[in-house]
C-alpha cells in the first residue's frame, strides 16, 4: 500500500472504500480526488453490489484536502476535482454509508455529507474550515450541507469553522447514529447487511426521489418497475411464508 491512496475491499454485497493517507490524517491528495470517481464508476455496475461504505484508515476519517494541492483546487472553484468527486459519490446508484472515526473535517466532511447515511464513533470530530483559511466553500457542497442540517446549523459550521463533537453532530442531523468506537464497524456491517436484504427497487427509487433526481416520468417508471420486476409479489410472498425475501432486480446505472 502506498502512503496516500484509496483502497477497495468487496465483501459479499458490500464494497468498502478506505481513505489512506496516515501521515496527514487521511487528507485527500489531488490523485485521491481523481481516483474516487474512477473507483465508483468501476463498482457501480457490479450486479451483486448492494451498498458502499466510505471510511478512513486508522483513527481518522479524513482531515480534509491536502493543503499542498490547494492552489489547484482554488483555481478550479466549483469545477474542482474535489467537487467532481463529491458529486459522483452523491450520484452513486446504490446506498452509501460513511463510517466515521476521529477527524472528519473540510474535504472529509464534504465526502461524508455526500453519502446517504453517516454513522459516527463517539470520538468523531467535525468541522468545515473555509472561514479559517479565507476560502469559499463550493456552492454545491454548501447547499448539500444546508439541506442536511438546515440553514442555521450550516451557517454556524461555516461562519465559525469550529469543530463539533459527535453528540452535537447527531443533534443537528449531521450524523444518523453515534456509537462507541469499538462498536462502529459492527454497526456498519449490520446496517449494510439489512440494506442488502431490502428491495433494490424500493431503495433505488427512494434514493432518487429524496435526492430530487426523479421527475414525474421517472417516478411513474419506478411504479411500473414494482409490477414488472415482481419485487412486490416476492416481498408479499416472503411475509406470508415467513422467510427472507429473495429480491433479484438490479438498479440501472448511467441512464
Amino acid at each position: 500500500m502506498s502512503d496516500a491512496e484509496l483502497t477497495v475491499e468487496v465483501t459479499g454485497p458490500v464494497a468498502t472504500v478506505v481513505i489512506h493517507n496516515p501521515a496527514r490524517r487521511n487528507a485527500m491528495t489531488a490523485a485521491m480526488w481523481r481516483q474516487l470517481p474512477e473507483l465508483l464508476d468501476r463498482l457501480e455496475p457490479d450486479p451483486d453490489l448492494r451498498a458502499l461504505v466510505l471510511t478512513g484508515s486508522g483513527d481518522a476519517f479524513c482531515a480534509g484536502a491536502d493543503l499542498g494541492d490547494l492552489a489547484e483546487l482554488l483555481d478550479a472553484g466549483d469545477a474542482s476535482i474535489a467537487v467532481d468527486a463529491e458529486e459522483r459519490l452523491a450520484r452513486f446508484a446504490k446506498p452509501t454509508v460513511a463510517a466515521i472515526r476521529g477527524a472528519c473535517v473540510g474535504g472529509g466532511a464534504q465526502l461524508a455529507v455526500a453519502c446517504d447515511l453517516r454513522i459516527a464513533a463517539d470520538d468523531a470530530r467535525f468541522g468545515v474550515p473555509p472561514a479559517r483559511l479565507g476560502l469559499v466553500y463550493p456552492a454545491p457542497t454548501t447547499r448539500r450541507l444546508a439541506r442536511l442540517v438546515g440553514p442555521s446549523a450550516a451557517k454556524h459550521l461555516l461562519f465559525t469553522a469550529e469543530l463539533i463533537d459527535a453528540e452535537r453532530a447527531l443533534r443537528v442531523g449531521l450524523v444518523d447514529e453515534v456509537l462507541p468506537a469499538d462498536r462502529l464497524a459492527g454497526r456498519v456491517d449490520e446496517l449494510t447487511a439489512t440494506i442488502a436484504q431490502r428491495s433494490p427497487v424500493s431503495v433505488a427509487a427512494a434514493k432518487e426521489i429524496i435526492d430530487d433526481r426523479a421527475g414525474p416520468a421517472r417516478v411513474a417508471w419506478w411504479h411500473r418497475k414494482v409490477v414488472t420486476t415482481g419485487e412486490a409479489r416476492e416481498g408479499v410472498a416472503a411475509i406470508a411464508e415467513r422467510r427472507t425475501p429473495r429480491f433479484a432486480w438490479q438498479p440501472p446505472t448511467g441512464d
Side-chain angles (χ1 to χ4, degrees):
M1 182 182 292
S2 68
D3 288 340
E5 65 176 352
L6 303 177
T7 64
V8 180
E9 179 179 346
V10 178
T11 304
V14 180
T16 300
V17 176
V18 180
I19 305 167
H20 181 81
N21 187 2
R24 296 182 178 273
R25 292 190 301 162
N26 298 331
M28 291 282 288
T29 65
M32 294 164 75
W33 287 117
R34 292 189 178 94
Q35 185 186 2
L36 182 57
E38 296 172 358
L39 289 179
L40 298 176
D41 286 347
R42 189 172 77 242
L43 290 167
E44 191 175 63
D46 183 347
D48 297 320
L49 189 69
R50 295 294 182 88
L52 181 139
V53 175
L54 179 67
T55 194
S57 64
D59 294 334
F61 179 75
C62 174
D66 191 316
L67 294 182
D69 301 314
L70 185 60
E72 178 179 352
L73 298 177
L74 289 177
D75 288 344
D78 281 2
S80 74
I81 52 177
V83 175
D84 181 61
E86 171 197 357
E87 292 295 307
R88 182 62 186 90
L89 179 60
R91 293 194 312 272
F92 194 73
K94 299 165 188 181
T96 55
V97 180
I100 303 165
R101 283 205 63 188
C104 180
V105 179
Q110 185 175 357
L111 291 173
V113 169
C115 290
D116 296 311
L117 300 170
R118 284 149 298 280
I119 311 299
D122 54 10
D123 65 359
R125 297 293 181 269
F126 302 83
V128 186
R132 193 169 69 240
L133 301 171
L135 309 177
V136 174
Y137 212 38
T141 312
T142 301
R143 295 186 184 108
R144 182 169 284 114
L145 176 66
R147 287 195 299 269
L148 181 64
V149 303
S152 181
K155 288 175 182 177
H156 178 271
L157 288 165
L158 286 161
F159 292 176
T160 68
E162 291 178 347
L163 291 178
I164 64 172
D165 63 19
E167 289 301 328
R168 180 164 183 173
L170 182 64
R171 288 199 302 273
V172 302
L174 185 58
V175 300
D176 300 290
E177 297 182 36
V178 174
L179 303 104
D182 61 358
R183 292 178 51 201
L184 178 64
R187 174 55 184 147
V188 171
D189 288 347
E190 178 185 50
L191 177 63
T192 53
T194 298
I195 291 170
Q197 293 178 351
R198 303 307 184 221
S199 164
V201 170
S202 299
V203 171
K207 177 165 179 166
E208 282 194 12
I209 293 167
I210 292 169
D211 291 347
D212 200 23
R213 293 188 288 110
R218 183 67 169 180
V219 172
W221 184 88
W222 280 118
H223 284 300
R224 290 194 298 273
K225 282 294 175 185
V226 170
V227 176
T228 59
T229 62
E231 294 280 273
R233 290 192 298 275
E234 170 59 18
V236 171
I239 291 175
E241 298 165 14
R242 297 184 179 182
R243 60 172 173 80
T244 300
R246 294 184 289 269
F247 296 122
W249 181 80
Q250 297 298 328
T253 58
D255 67 344

